[in-house]
Amino acid sequence: MDSGTVVILGTGGTIAGTAGSAHDHIGYSAAQVGVQALVQGVASLADAGVPLVGEQVAQIDSKDMDFAVWQALALRCQQLLDDAQVRAIVITHGTDTLEETAWLLHCVLDAARKPVVLTCAMRPATALVPDGPQNLLDAMAVATTPGACGVLVVCAGEVHGARQVQKIHPYRLHAFSSGESGPLGWVEAGHLRWADNFMPNQPPGHASKAQAALEKIASGAPWPRVEVLLSYAGASGTTVDALAQSGVQGLVIAATGNGTLHHTLHAALLRAQAAGVVVWVATRCPLGQVLEQPGSAFASAQGLSPVKARISLMLALMGAAPVSV
């Protein structure tokens, strides 16, 4: 599709942050600049010749992302995806929870025909050399590339998929990685170059599963309580026992190695599971995924990071079928 409006949805974050000094890259206040001002501040966006519309969905520091914002953002994205006049969606977002929002949107949106591109910044808008304007330009380049689709993340010239992307550094400009999978593509001189042999698509059955998940969210169904815990040397089961007694519905464990758990923690998780708590096991290792062994006591997170597995488990507990990844 070569024509139509690109809608830029603002949610706040560092890209909309301000500081008292142009040299201050860490002591800033996030979510201070509205999305309209962000768009108007990048003159090159107007040169692309594509109609642009900016909408403010939220104005928060992404460390404070919550279910209400996720609901509003997901529902608005689907409305825009269903609008024949809309070509693509770009979302400005904080970096801290960007990977979680990207995975949620992948799970609940049917973006097989149009791209949903999240972008961000590691420096505030008031920095001497801010990275937000270039990231926004790159996101626009991806959003307007014929054939682009699905939920994508654009930062520092790289294009990442929702499943693999992870923030790996607290303050450097090159803060995101897709690990051993590598980026899906790169933005070079304003043009998207896909990685060799990569073709954007969604797996069979994704649309119906995403629609079912979105309907659960739209209906106002309560978000199940799912917590993430870590296994480590000397770990105890007291937190698991307390959570189970308090009514937690699901637990995702960031395990050591290939899904291994401290024996005390393992025993507590067995108690919680017997009491009806759903337990999924991921790995705390930054690369690779748990290779599930026959007879494992707990379900595997299927290669998802702990925070993304939490989202999938919440949706599963809502009654939405897991999406293909």
Side-chain angles (χ1 to χ4, degrees):
M1 182 168 50
D2 297 323
S3 61
T5 299
V6 175
V7 180
I8 302 178
L9 301 178
T11 68
T14 298
I15 193 170
T18 59
S21 166
H23 301 284
D24 189 353
H25 295 169
I26 58 175
Y28 57 86
S29 297
Q32 301 300 303
V33 181
V35 67
Q36 298 286 2
L38 287 180
V39 173
Q40 293 170 4
V42 185
S44 300
L45 287 174
D47 298 336
V50 177
L52 296 176
V53 173
E55 295 183 15
Q56 200 76 49
V57 174
Q59 188 69 309
I60 62 171
D61 187 323
S62 80
K63 69 178 177 59
D64 297 320
M65 182 58 67
D66 58 27
F67 300 140
V69 175
W70 271 353
Q71 180 187 44
L73 182 61
L75 293 177
R76 185 56 180 142
C77 282
Q78 193 59 60
Q79 290 174 344
L80 294 170
L81 289 171
D82 293 338
D83 189 337
Q85 302 302 313
V86 173
R87 176 179 183 174
I89 302 168
V90 172
I91 301 170
T92 58
H93 198 288
T95 60
D96 284 348
T97 57
L98 185 148
E99 65 203 77
E100 295 173 64
T101 297
W103 181 245
L104 174 79
L105 294 178
H106 169 85
C107 289
V108 305
L109 296 180
D110 177 12
R113 295 178 295 106
K114 304 175 186 179
V116 178
V117 184
L118 289 87
T119 194
C120 54
M122 293 300 295
R123 292 176 180 171
T126 50
L128 186 63
V129 184
D131 56 322
Q134 185 63 58
N135 286 340
L136 192 53
L137 277 173
D138 289 349
M140 180 65 67
V142 173
T144 55
T145 296
C149 65
V151 179
L152 304 168
V153 172
V154 174
C155 182
E158 294 183 340
V159 183
H160 300 278
R163 176 186 170 90
Q164 295 87 3
V165 69
Q166 184 176 8
K167 186 175 180 180
I168 60 167
H169 202 281
Y171 59 83
R172 289 179 183 167
L173 298 185
H174 201 110
F176 287 88
S177 172
S178 288
E180 57 196 7
S181 298
L184 301 182
W186 301 266
V187 182
E188 301 167 336
H191 298 282
L192 171 60
R193 175 172 65 88
W194 293 115
D196 291 344
N197 301 320
F198 173 76
M199 289 297 293
N201 58 61
Q202 289 185 341
H206 178 93
S208 60
K209 292 177 180 179
Q211 181 180 0
L214 188 64
E215 287 174 354
K216 293 288 184 181
I217 295 174
S219 70
W223 292 78
R225 186 179 167 206
V226 177
E227 304 291 348
V228 177
L229 297 177
L230 185 72
S231 184
Y232 46 85
S236 76
T238 55
T239 301
V240 173
D241 291 334
L243 287 170
Q245 291 170 11
S246 70
V248 74
Q249 295 163 270
L251 292 171
V252 175
I253 313 302
T256 46
N258 189 39
T260 56
L261 299 164
H262 188 278
H263 67 91
T264 306
L265 179 61
H266 186 274
L269 290 169
L270 287 175
R271 292 194 295 273
Q273 186 168 259
V277 179
V278 180
V279 179
W280 284 9
V281 175
T283 180
R284 72 184 205 185
C285 296
L287 300 177
Q289 65 182 57
V290 173
L291 300 178
E292 193 170 3
Q293 301 182 51
S296 296
F298 310 112
S300 166
Q302 300 298 313
L304 294 173
S305 69
V307 293
K308 292 178 183 177
R310 173 177 174 261
I311 292 169
S312 289
L313 181 49
M314 283 192 294
L315 293 174
L317 289 171
M318 280 183 181
V323 301
S324 302
V325 294

